[in-house]
Amino acid sequence: MEEYNKWMRQSKHDLKIAEYNFKGYFFDSCIFYCQQAVEKSLKALLIKKEGKLLKIHDLIILGRKINLPEKFFKKINELNSAYI
């Protein structure tokens, strides 16, 4: 559970950075940190579900591994390109 908590804390931290960048009109940085926050949240949920970390950055694959509801896949697909 500690590994899950660590990833969720980092996800929340990245979301705060994204919000800060949004308020400062640094939209490229904002979207990057949004992607990071989602990725870390999905990894935390995967750790909780399977007890192991999958070292990938593809949000679609992570979402499928945790059985994320389909309604989220369009948005996470848009965020996928922000990692690059």
Side-chain angles (χ1 to χ4, degrees):
M1 192 58 102
E2 178 55 34
E3 191 72 7
Y4 165 82
N5 290 331
K6 180 181 89 169
W7 282 92
M8 287 305 289
R9 275 192 308 273
Q10 188 60 50
S11 174
K12 291 175 185 176
H13 177 77
D14 287 351
L15 185 57
K16 287 180 183 177
I17 295 171
E19 290 170 346
Y20 179 82
N21 280 296
F22 182 80
K23 289 175 185 173
Y25 301 98
F26 298 107
F27 300 119
D28 57 337
S29 297
C30 172
I31 194 71
F32 174 78
Y33 279 101
C34 285
Q35 185 279 340
Q36 289 291 289
V38 171
E39 180 181 330
K40 290 169 185 170
S41 293
L42 293 174
K43 286 181 176 182
L45 292 169
L46 184 61
I47 289 167
K48 189 174 187 178
K49 179 182 176 192
E50 296 186 0
K52 64 181 179 178
L53 174 65
L54 186 58
K55 294 184 178 182
I56 62 168
H57 304 287
D58 190 312
L59 303 180
I60 299 295
I61 294 172
L62 290 167
R64 296 260 183 251
K65 293 289 273 182
I66 64 161
N67 299 317
L68 190 69
E70 282 297 319
K71 65 181 181 180
F72 295 108
F73 281 94
K74 182 179 179 189
K75 292 295 182 187
I76 65 171
N77 190 49
E78 291 173 12
L79 281 175
N80 249 347
S81 62
Y83 177 72
I84 302 164

Coordinates of all heavy atoms in Angstrom, one line a residue:
M1 N 0.8 -1.2 0.0 CA 0.0 0.0 0.0 C 0.9 1.3 0.0 O 0.4 2.3 -0.5 CB -0.9 0.0 1.2 CG -2.0 1.0 1.2 SD -3.1 0.9 -0.3 CE -4.5 0.2 0.4
E2 N 2.1 1.2 0.5 CA 3.0 2.3 0.6 C 3.3 2.8 -0.8 O 3.4 4.0 -1.1 CB 4.2 2.0 1.4 CG 5.2 3.2 1.4 CD 4.6 4.5 1.9 OE1 3.7 4.5 2.8 OE2 5.0 5.6 1.4
E3 N 3.6 1.8 -1.7 CA 3.9 2.2 -3.1 C 2.8 2.9 -3.8 O 2.9 3.9 -4.5 CB 4.3 0.9 -3.9 CG 4.9 1.1 -5.2 CD 6.4 1.7 -5.1 OE1 6.9 1.7 -4.0 OE2 6.9 2.0 -6.2
Y4 N 1.6 2.4 -3.6 CA 0.4 3.0 -4.1 C 0.3 4.5 -3.6 O 0.1 5.4 -4.4 CB -0.9 2.2 -3.7 CG -2.2 3.0 -3.8 CD1 -2.8 3.1 -5.1 CD2 -2.8 3.7 -2.8 CE1 -4.0 3.8 -5.2 CE2 -4.0 4.4 -2.9 CZ -4.6 4.4 -4.1 OH -5.7 5.1 -4.3
N5 N 0.4 4.7 -2.3 CA 0.4 6.0 -1.7 C 1.4 6.9 -2.3 O 1.2 8.1 -2.5 CB 0.5 5.9 -0.2 CG -0.7 5.3 0.4 OD1 -1.9 5.4 -0.1 ND2 -0.6 4.6 1.6
K6 N 2.6 6.4 -2.5 CA 3.7 7.2 -3.0 C 3.3 7.7 -4.4 O 3.5 8.9 -4.7 CB 5.0 6.4 -3.1 CG 6.2 7.1 -3.7 CD 7.4 6.3 -3.7 CE 7.4 5.6 -5.1 NZ 8.7 4.9 -5.4
W7 N 2.8 6.9 -5.3 CA 2.4 7.3 -6.6 C 1.3 8.3 -6.6 O 1.2 9.2 -7.4 CB 2.1 6.0 -7.5 CG 3.3 5.3 -8.0 CD1 4.0 4.3 -7.3 CD2 4.1 5.6 -9.1 NE1 5.1 3.9 -8.0 CE2 5.2 4.7 -9.2 CE3 4.0 6.5 -10.2 CZ2 6.1 4.7 -10.2 CZ3 4.9 6.5 -11.2 CH2 6.0 5.6 -11.2
M8 N 0.3 8.1 -5.7 CA -0.8 9.0 -5.7 C -0.4 10.4 -5.1 O -0.8 11.4 -5.6 CB -1.9 8.4 -4.8 CG -2.7 7.3 -5.4 SD -3.4 7.7 -7.0 CE -4.7 8.8 -6.6
R9 N 0.5 10.4 -4.2 CA 1.1 11.7 -3.7 C 1.8 12.4 -4.8 O 1.6 13.6 -5.0 CB 2.0 11.5 -2.5 CG 1.4 11.4 -1.2 CD 2.4 11.5 -0.1 NE 3.6 10.5 -0.2 CZ 3.6 9.3 0.2 NH1 2.5 8.8 0.8 NH2 4.7 8.5 0.1
Q10 N 2.6 11.7 -5.6 CA 3.3 12.4 -6.7 C 2.3 12.8 -7.8 O 2.5 13.9 -8.4 CB 4.3 11.4 -7.3 CG 5.2 12.1 -8.3 CD 6.0 13.2 -7.8 OE1 6.6 13.1 -6.7 NE2 5.9 14.4 -8.4
S11 N 1.2 12.1 -8.0 CA 0.2 12.5 -9.0 C -0.5 13.8 -8.5 O -0.7 14.7 -9.4 CB -0.8 11.3 -9.1 OG -1.9 11.8 -9.9
K12 N -0.8 13.9 -7.3 CA -1.4 15.1 -6.8 C -0.5 16.3 -6.9 O -0.9 17.4 -7.2 CB -1.9 14.9 -5.3 CG -3.1 13.9 -5.2 CD -3.4 13.6 -3.8 CE -4.5 12.6 -3.7 NZ -4.8 12.2 -2.3
H13 N 0.8 16.0 -6.6 CA 1.8 17.1 -6.7 C 1.9 17.6 -8.2 O 1.9 18.8 -8.5 CB 3.2 16.5 -6.3 CG 4.3 17.5 -6.5 ND1 4.5 18.6 -5.6 CD2 5.3 17.6 -7.4 CE1 5.5 19.2 -6.0 NE2 6.0 18.7 -7.1
D14 N 1.9 16.6 -9.2 CA 1.9 17.0 -10.6 C 0.7 17.8 -11.0 O 0.8 18.7 -11.8 CB 2.1 15.8 -11.4 CG 3.5 15.2 -11.4 OD1 4.4 15.8 -10.8 OD2 3.7 14.0 -11.9
L15 N -0.4 17.4 -10.4 CA -1.7 18.1 -10.7 C -1.6 19.6 -10.2 O -2.0 20.5 -10.9 CB -2.9 17.4 -10.1 CG -4.2 18.0 -10.5 CD1 -4.4 18.1 -12.0 CD2 -5.3 17.2 -9.8
K16 N -1.0 19.8 -9.1 CA -0.8 21.2 -8.6 C 0.1 22.0 -9.5 O -0.2 23.2 -9.7 CB -0.3 21.1 -7.1 CG -1.3 20.7 -6.1 CD -0.7 20.7 -4.7 CE -1.7 20.2 -3.7 NZ -1.2 20.1 -2.4
I17 N 1.1 21.3 -10.0 CA 2.0 22.0 -10.9 C 1.3 22.4 -12.2 O 1.5 23.5 -12.7 CB 3.3 21.1 -11.2 CG1 4.1 20.9 -9.9 CG2 4.1 21.8 -12.3 CD1 5.2 19.9 -10.1
A18 N 0.5 21.5 -12.7 CA -0.3 21.7 -13.9 C -1.3 22.9 -13.7 O -1.3 23.8 -14.5 CB -1.2 20.5 -14.2
E19 N -1.9 23.0 -12.5 CA -2.8 24.1 -12.2 C -2.0 25.4 -12.1 O -2.5 26.4 -12.6 CB -3.5 23.8 -10.9 CG -4.6 22.7 -11.0 CD -5.1 22.3 -9.6 OE1 -4.5 22.6 -8.6 OE2 -6.1 21.6 -9.6
Y20 N -0.9 25.4 -11.5 CA 0.0 26.6 -11.4 C 0.4 27.1 -12.8 O 0.3 28.3 -13.1 CB 1.2 26.3 -10.6 CG 2.1 27.4 -10.4 CD1 1.9 28.4 -9.5 CD2 3.3 27.5 -11.3 CE1 2.8 29.5 -9.4 CE2 4.1 28.6 -11.1 CZ 3.9 29.6 -10.2 OH 4.8 30.6 -10.0
N21 N 0.8 26.1 -13.7 CA 1.2 26.5 -15.0 C 0.0 27.0 -15.8 O 0.1 27.9 -16.7 CB 1.8 25.3 -15.7 CG 3.3 25.2 -15.3 OD1 4.1 26.0 -15.6 ND2 3.6 24.1 -14.7
F22 N -1.2 26.5 -15.6 CA -2.4 26.9 -16.3 C -2.7 28.4 -16.0 O -2.9 29.2 -16.8 CB -3.6 26.0 -16.0 CG -4.8 26.4 -16.7 CD1 -5.0 26.0 -18.0 CD2 -5.8 27.2 -16.0 CE1 -6.2 26.4 -18.7 CE2 -7.0 27.5 -16.7 CZ -7.2 27.1 -18.0
K23 N -2.6 28.7 -14.7 CA -2.9 30.0 -14.2 C -1.9 31.0 -14.8 O -2.2 32.2 -15.0 CB -2.9 30.1 -12.7 CG -4.1 29.4 -12.1 CD -4.0 29.4 -10.6 CE -5.2 28.6 -10.0 NZ -5.1 28.4 -8.6
G24 N -0.7 30.5 -15.0 CA 0.4 31.4 -15.6 C 0.4 31.4 -17.1 O 1.3 32.0 -17.7
Y25 N -0.6 30.8 -17.7 CA -0.7 30.7 -19.2 C 0.5 29.9 -19.8 O 0.8 30.1 -21.0 CB -0.7 32.1 -19.8 CG -1.9 32.9 -19.3 CD1 -1.8 33.8 -18.3 CD2 -3.2 32.6 -19.9 CE1 -2.9 34.5 -17.9 CE2 -4.3 33.3 -19.4 CZ -4.1 34.3 -18.4 OH -5.2 35.0 -17.9
F26 N 1.1 29.0 -19.1 CA 2.1 28.1 -19.6 C 1.4 26.8 -20.0 O 1.6 25.7 -19.3 CB 3.2 27.9 -18.6 CG 3.9 29.1 -18.2 CD1 3.7 29.7 -17.0 CD2 4.8 29.7 -19.1 CE1 4.4 30.9 -16.6 CE2 5.5 30.9 -18.8 CZ 5.3 31.5 -17.5
F27 N 0.7 26.8 -21.1 CA -0.2 25.7 -21.4 C 0.6 24.4 -21.8 O 0.1 23.3 -21.6 CB -1.2 26.1 -22.5 CG -2.1 27.3 -22.0 CD1 -2.1 28.5 -22.7 CD2 -2.9 27.1 -20.9 CE1 -2.9 29.5 -22.3 CE2 -3.7 28.2 -20.5 CZ -3.7 29.4 -21.2
D28 N 1.7 24.6 -22.5 CA 2.5 23.4 -22.8 C 3.0 22.7 -21.6 O 2.9 21.4 -21.5 CB 3.7 23.8 -23.7 CG 4.6 24.8 -23.1 OD1 4.2 25.6 -22.2 OD2 5.8 24.9 -23.6
S29 N 3.4 23.4 -20.6 CA 3.8 22.8 -19.3 C 2.6 22.2 -18.6 O 2.7 21.1 -18.0 CB 4.5 23.8 -18.4 OG 5.7 24.2 -19.1
C30 N 1.5 22.9 -18.6 CA 0.3 22.5 -18.0 C -0.1 21.1 -18.5 O -0.4 20.2 -17.7 CB -0.8 23.5 -18.2 SG -2.4 22.9 -17.6
I31 N -0.2 20.9 -19.8 CA -0.7 19.7 -20.4 C 0.3 18.6 -20.1 O -0.1 17.4 -19.9 CB -1.0 19.8 -21.9 CG1 -1.8 18.6 -22.4 CG2 0.3 20.0 -22.7 CD1 -3.2 18.6 -22.0
F32 N 1.6 18.8 -20.1 CA 2.6 17.8 -19.8 C 2.4 17.3 -18.3 O 2.3 16.1 -18.1 CB 4.0 18.4 -19.9 CG 5.1 17.4 -19.4 CD1 5.4 16.3 -20.2 CD2 5.6 17.5 -18.2 CE1 6.4 15.4 -19.8 CE2 6.6 16.6 -17.7 CZ 7.0 15.6 -18.5
Y33 N 2.2 18.2 -17.4 CA 2.0 17.8 -16.0 C 0.6 17.1 -15.8 O 0.4 16.3 -14.9 CB 2.2 19.0 -15.0 CG 3.7 19.1 -14.8 CD1 4.4 20.1 -15.4 CD2 4.4 18.3 -13.9 CE1 5.7 20.3 -15.2 CE2 5.7 18.4 -13.7 CZ 6.4 19.4 -14.4 OH 7.8 19.6 -14.2
C34 N -0.4 17.5 -16.6 CA -1.7 16.8 -16.6 C -1.5 15.3 -17.0 O -2.0 14.4 -16.3 CB -2.7 17.4 -17.5 SG -3.4 19.0 -16.9
Q35 N -0.7 15.1 -18.1 CA -0.4 13.8 -18.5 C 0.3 13.0 -17.4 O 0.0 11.9 -17.2 CB 0.4 13.8 -19.8 CG 0.7 12.5 -20.4 CD 1.8 11.7 -19.8 OE1 2.7 12.2 -19.1 NE2 1.8 10.4 -20.0
Q36 N 1.3 13.7 -16.8 CA 2.1 13.0 -15.7 C 1.2 12.6 -14.6 O 1.3 11.5 -14.0 CB 3.2 13.9 -15.3 CG 4.3 14.1 -16.3 CD 5.1 12.8 -16.4 OE1 5.8 12.4 -15.5 NE2 4.9 12.1 -17.6
A37 N 0.3 13.5 -14.2 CA -0.6 13.2 -13.1 C -1.5 12.0 -13.4 O -1.7 11.1 -12.5 CB -1.5 14.5 -12.8
V38 N -2.1 12.0 -14.6 CA -2.9 10.9 -15.0 C -2.1 9.6 -15.0 O -2.5 8.5 -14.5 CB -3.6 11.1 -16.3 CG1 -4.3 9.9 -16.8 CG2 -4.6 12.3 -16.2
E39 N -0.9 9.6 -15.6 CA -0.1 8.4 -15.7 C 0.2 7.9 -14.3 O 0.1 6.7 -14.1 CB 1.2 8.8 -16.4 CG 2.2 7.6 -16.6 CD 3.5 7.9 -17.3 OE1 3.5 8.8 -18.1 OE2 4.5 7.2 -17.0
K40 N 0.6 8.7 -13.4 CA 1.0 8.3 -12.1 C -0.3 7.8 -11.3 O -0.1 6.8 -10.5 CB 1.7 9.4 -11.3 CG 3.1 9.6 -11.9 CD 3.7 10.9 -11.4 CE 5.1 11.1 -12.1 NZ 5.7 12.4 -11.9
S41 N -1.4 8.4 -11.5 CA -2.6 7.8 -10.9 C -3.0 6.5 -11.4 O -3.3 5.6 -10.7 CB -3.8 8.8 -11.2 OG -3.6 10.0 -10.6
L42 N -2.9 6.3 -12.8 CA -3.2 5.0 -13.3 C -2.2 3.9 -12.8 O -2.5 2.8 -12.6 CB -3.1 5.1 -14.9 CG -4.3 5.9 -15.5 CD1 -4.0 6.0 -17.0 CD2 -5.6 5.3 -15.2
K43 N -0.9 4.3 -12.7 CA 0.1 3.4 -12.2 C -0.2 3.0 -10.8 O 0.0 1.9 -10.4 CB 1.5 3.9 -12.4 CG 2.0 3.9 -13.8 CD 3.4 4.4 -14.0 CE 3.8 4.3 -15.4 NZ 5.2 4.8 -15.6
A44 N -0.6 4.0 -10.0 CA -1.0 3.7 -8.6 C -2.1 2.7 -8.5 O -2.1 1.8 -7.7 CB -1.4 5.0 -7.9
L45 N -3.1 2.9 -9.4 CA -4.3 2.0 -9.4 C -3.9 0.6 -9.9 O -4.4 -0.4 -9.3 CB -5.4 2.6 -10.3 CG -6.1 3.8 -9.7 CD1 -7.0 4.4 -10.7 CD2 -6.8 3.5 -8.4
L46 N -2.9 0.5 -10.8 CA -2.4 -0.8 -11.2 C -1.7 -1.5 -10.1 O -1.8 -2.7 -9.9 CB -1.6 -0.6 -12.5 CG -1.0 -1.9 -13.1 CD1 -2.2 -2.7 -13.6 CD2 -0.1 -1.5 -14.3
I47 N -0.9 -0.7 -9.4 CA -0.2 -1.3 -8.2 C -1.2 -1.8 -7.2 O -1.0 -2.9 -6.7 CB 0.8 -0.2 -7.6 CG1 2.0 0.0 -8.5 CG2 1.3 -0.7 -6.2 CD1 2.8 1.2 -8.2
K48 N -2.2 -1.1 -7.0 CA -3.2 -1.5 -6.0 C -3.9 -2.8 -6.5 O -4.2 -3.7 -5.7 CB -4.2 -0.4 -5.8 CG -5.2 -0.6 -4.7 CD -6.0 0.6 -4.5 CE -6.9 0.5 -3.2 NZ -7.7 1.7 -3.0
K49 N -4.2 -2.8 -7.8 CA -4.9 -3.9 -8.4 C -4.1 -5.2 -8.5 O -4.5 -6.3 -8.1 CB -5.5 -3.5 -9.8 CG -6.2 -4.7 -10.5 CD -6.7 -4.2 -11.8 CE -7.4 -5.4 -12.5 NZ -7.6 -5.2 -13.9
E50 N -2.9 -5.0 -9.1 CA -2.0 -6.2 -9.4 C -0.8 -6.4 -8.5 O -0.1 -7.4 -8.6 CB -1.6 -6.1 -10.9 CG -2.8 -6.2 -11.8 CD -2.3 -6.3 -13.3 OE1 -1.1 -6.3 -13.6 OE2 -3.2 -6.4 -14.2
G51 N -0.5 -5.3 -7.7 CA 0.7 -5.4 -6.9 C 2.0 -5.2 -7.5 O 3.0 -5.6 -7.0
K52 N 2.0 -4.7 -8.8 CA 3.2 -4.5 -9.5 C 3.1 -3.3 -10.4 O 2.0 -2.9 -10.8 CB 3.6 -5.7 -10.3 CG 2.7 -6.1 -11.4 CD 3.1 -7.3 -12.1 CE 2.1 -7.6 -13.2 NZ 2.5 -8.8 -14.0
L53 N 4.2 -2.7 -10.7 CA 4.3 -1.5 -11.5 C 4.6 -1.9 -13.0 O 5.4 -2.8 -13.2 CB 5.5 -0.6 -11.0 CG 5.8 0.6 -11.9 CD1 4.6 1.6 -11.9 CD2 7.0 1.3 -11.4
L54 N 3.9 -1.3 -13.9 CA 4.2 -1.5 -15.3 C 4.9 -0.3 -15.8 O 4.4 0.8 -15.8 CB 2.9 -1.7 -16.1 CG 2.9 -2.1 -17.5 CD1 3.7 -3.4 -17.7 CD2 1.5 -2.2 -18.1
K55 N 6.2 -0.5 -16.3 CA 7.0 0.6 -16.7 C 6.8 1.0 -18.1 O 7.6 0.8 -19.0 CB 8.5 0.3 -16.4 CG 8.8 0.1 -15.0 CD 10.3 -0.1 -14.7 CE 10.6 -0.2 -13.3 NZ 12.0 -0.4 -13.0
I56 N 5.6 1.7 -18.3 CA 5.3 2.2 -19.6 C 4.7 3.6 -19.4 O 4.3 3.9 -18.3 CB 4.3 1.3 -20.4 CG1 3.0 1.2 -19.7 CG2 4.9 0.0 -20.7 CD1 1.9 0.6 -20.5
H57 N 4.5 4.3 -20.5 CA 4.0 5.7 -20.4 C 2.7 5.8 -21.2 O 2.1 6.9 -21.1 CB 5.0 6.7 -20.9 CG 6.3 6.6 -20.2 ND1 6.5 7.1 -19.0 CD2 7.5 6.1 -20.7 CE1 7.7 6.9 -18.6 NE2 8.4 6.3 -19.6
D58 N 2.3 4.8 -21.8 CA 1.0 4.8 -22.6 C -0.2 4.7 -21.8 O -0.5 3.7 -21.1 CB 1.1 3.6 -23.6 CG 0.0 3.7 -24.7 OD1 -1.2 3.9 -24.3 OD2 0.3 3.5 -25.9
L59 N -1.0 5.8 -21.7 CA -2.1 5.9 -20.9 C -3.2 4.9 -21.3 O -4.0 4.4 -20.4 CB -2.7 7.3 -20.9 CG -1.7 8.4 -20.4 CD1 -2.4 9.8 -20.5 CD2 -1.2 8.1 -19.1
I60 N -3.3 4.6 -22.6 CA -4.3 3.7 -23.1 C -4.0 2.3 -22.5 O -4.9 1.6 -22.0 CB -4.4 3.7 -24.6 CG1 -4.8 5.0 -25.2 CG2 -5.3 2.6 -25.1 CD1 -6.2 5.5 -24.8
I61 N -2.8 1.8 -22.6 CA -2.5 0.5 -22.1 C -2.7 0.5 -20.6 O -3.3 -0.5 -20.1 CB -1.0 0.2 -22.4 CG1 -0.9 0.0 -24.0 CG2 -0.6 -1.1 -21.7 CD1 0.6 -0.2 -24.4
L62 N -2.3 1.5 -19.9 CA -2.5 1.5 -18.4 C -4.0 1.5 -18.1 O -4.4 0.8 -17.2 CB -1.8 2.7 -17.8 CG -0.3 2.7 -17.8 CD1 0.3 4.1 -17.5 CD2 0.2 1.7 -16.8
G63 N -4.7 2.3 -18.8 CA -6.2 2.3 -18.6 C -6.8 0.9 -18.8 O -7.7 0.5 -18.1
R64 N -6.4 0.2 -19.9 CA -7.0 -1.1 -20.2 C -6.6 -2.1 -19.1 O -7.4 -2.9 -18.7 CB -6.4 -1.6 -21.5 CG -6.9 -0.8 -22.7 CD -8.0 -1.4 -23.4 NE -8.4 -0.6 -24.6 CZ -9.5 0.1 -24.7 NH1 -10.3 0.2 -23.7 NH2 -9.7 0.8 -25.8
K65 N -5.4 -2.0 -18.5 CA -4.9 -2.9 -17.5 C -5.7 -2.8 -16.2 O -5.9 -3.7 -15.5 CB -3.4 -2.7 -17.2 CG -2.5 -3.0 -18.3 CD -2.4 -4.5 -18.5 CE -1.3 -5.1 -17.6 NZ -1.2 -6.5 -17.8
I66 N -6.3 -1.6 -15.9 CA -7.0 -1.4 -14.7 C -8.5 -1.4 -15.0 O -9.3 -1.1 -14.1 CB -6.6 -0.1 -14.0 CG1 -6.9 1.1 -14.8 CG2 -5.2 -0.1 -13.5 CD1 -7.0 2.4 -14.0
N67 N -8.9 -1.7 -16.2 CA -10.3 -1.7 -16.6 C -11.0 -0.3 -16.4 O -12.1 -0.2 -15.9 CB -11.1 -2.7 -15.8 CG -10.6 -4.1 -16.1 OD1 -10.3 -4.5 -17.3 ND2 -10.4 -4.9 -15.1
L68 N -10.3 0.7 -16.9 CA -10.9 2.1 -16.8 C -12.1 2.1 -17.7 O -12.1 1.6 -18.8 CB -9.8 3.0 -17.4 CG -10.0 4.5 -17.2 CD1 -10.0 4.9 -15.7 CD2 -9.0 5.3 -18.0
P69 N -13.2 2.8 -17.2 CA -14.4 2.9 -18.1 C -14.1 3.6 -19.4 O -13.3 4.5 -19.5 CB -15.3 3.8 -17.2 CG -14.8 3.6 -15.8 CD -13.3 3.4 -15.9
E70 N -14.7 3.1 -20.4 CA -14.5 3.5 -21.8 C -14.7 5.0 -22.0 O -14.0 5.6 -22.8 CB -15.5 2.8 -22.8 CG -15.0 1.4 -23.1 CD -13.7 1.3 -23.8 OE1 -13.4 2.1 -24.7 OE2 -12.9 0.4 -23.5
K71 N -15.5 5.6 -21.2 CA -15.8 7.1 -21.4 C -14.5 7.9 -21.2 O -14.5 9.1 -21.6 CB -16.9 7.6 -20.5 CG -16.6 7.5 -19.0 CD -17.8 7.9 -18.2 CE -17.4 7.9 -16.7 NZ -18.6 8.3 -15.9
F72 N -13.5 7.4 -20.6 CA -12.3 8.2 -20.3 C -11.2 8.0 -21.4 O -10.3 8.8 -21.4 CB -11.6 7.7 -19.0 CG -12.5 8.1 -17.8 CD1 -13.1 7.1 -17.1 CD2 -12.7 9.4 -17.4 CE1 -13.9 7.4 -16.0 CE2 -13.5 9.7 -16.3 CZ -14.1 8.7 -15.6
F73 N -11.4 7.1 -22.3 CA -10.3 6.8 -23.2 C -10.1 7.9 -24.3 O -8.9 8.1 -24.7 CB -10.5 5.4 -23.9 CG -10.1 4.3 -23.0 CD1 -11.0 3.7 -22.2 CD2 -8.8 3.9 -22.9 CE1 -10.6 2.6 -21.3 CE2 -8.4 2.9 -22.1 CZ -9.3 2.3 -21.3
K74 N -11.1 8.6 -24.7 CA -10.9 9.7 -25.6 C -10.0 10.7 -25.1 O -9.0 11.2 -25.7 CB -12.2 10.3 -26.1 CG -12.1 11.3 -27.1 CD -13.4 11.9 -27.6 CE -13.1 13.0 -28.6 NZ -14.3 13.7 -28.9
K75 N -10.2 11.1 -23.8 CA -9.5 12.1 -23.1 C -8.0 11.7 -22.9 O -7.1 12.4 -23.1 CB -10.1 12.6 -21.8 CG -11.4 13.3 -22.1 CD -11.2 14.6 -22.8 CE -12.5 15.3 -22.9 NZ -12.4 16.5 -23.8
I76 N -7.9 10.4 -22.4 CA -6.5 10.0 -22.1 C -5.7 9.8 -23.4 O -4.5 10.0 -23.4 CB -6.4 8.8 -21.1 CG1 -7.0 7.5 -21.8 CG2 -7.0 9.1 -19.8 CD1 -6.8 6.3 -20.9
N77 N -6.4 9.5 -24.5 CA -5.7 9.4 -25.7 C -5.2 10.7 -26.2 O -4.0 10.9 -26.7 CB -6.6 8.8 -26.8 CG -5.8 8.5 -28.1 OD1 -4.8 7.8 -28.0 ND2 -6.3 8.9 -29.2
E78 N -5.9 11.8 -25.9 CA -5.4 13.2 -26.2 C -4.2 13.5 -25.4 O -3.3 14.2 -25.8 CB -6.6 14.2 -26.0 CG -7.7 14.0 -27.0 CD -8.9 14.9 -26.6 OE1 -8.7 15.8 -25.8 OE2 -10.0 14.7 -27.2
L79 N -4.2 13.1 -24.1 CA -3.1 13.4 -23.2 C -1.8 12.6 -23.6 O -0.7 13.0 -23.3 CB -3.5 13.1 -21.8 CG -4.3 14.1 -21.0 CD1 -4.7 13.6 -19.7 CD2 -3.6 15.4 -20.9
N80 N -2.0 11.4 -24.2 CA -0.9 10.6 -24.5 C 0.2 11.3 -25.3 O 1.4 11.1 -25.0 CB -1.3 9.4 -25.4 CG -1.2 8.1 -24.6 OD1 -0.6 8.0 -23.5 ND2 -1.9 7.1 -25.1
S81 N -0.2 12.2 -26.2 CA 0.8 12.9 -27.0 C 1.6 13.9 -26.2 O 2.7 14.4 -26.6 CB 0.2 13.6 -28.2 OG -0.8 14.5 -27.8
A82 N 1.1 14.3 -25.0 CA 1.7 15.3 -24.2 C 3.0 14.8 -23.6 O 3.9 15.6 -23.2 CB 0.8 15.8 -23.1
Y83 N 3.2 13.5 -23.5 CA 4.4 13.0 -22.9 C 5.6 13.2 -23.8 O 6.7 13.5 -23.4 CB 4.2 11.5 -22.6 CG 5.5 10.8 -22.1 CD1 5.9 11.1 -20.8 CD2 6.3 10.0 -22.9 CE1 7.1 10.6 -20.3 CE2 7.5 9.5 -22.4 CZ 7.8 9.8 -21.1 OH 9.0 9.2 -20.6
I84 N 5.3 13.2 -25.1 CA 6.4 13.4 -26.1 C 6.7 14.9 -26.1 O 7.8 15.3 -26.0 CB 5.9 13.0 -27.5 CG1 5.5 11.5 -27.5 CG2 7.0 13.2 -28.5 CD1 4.7 11.0 -28.6

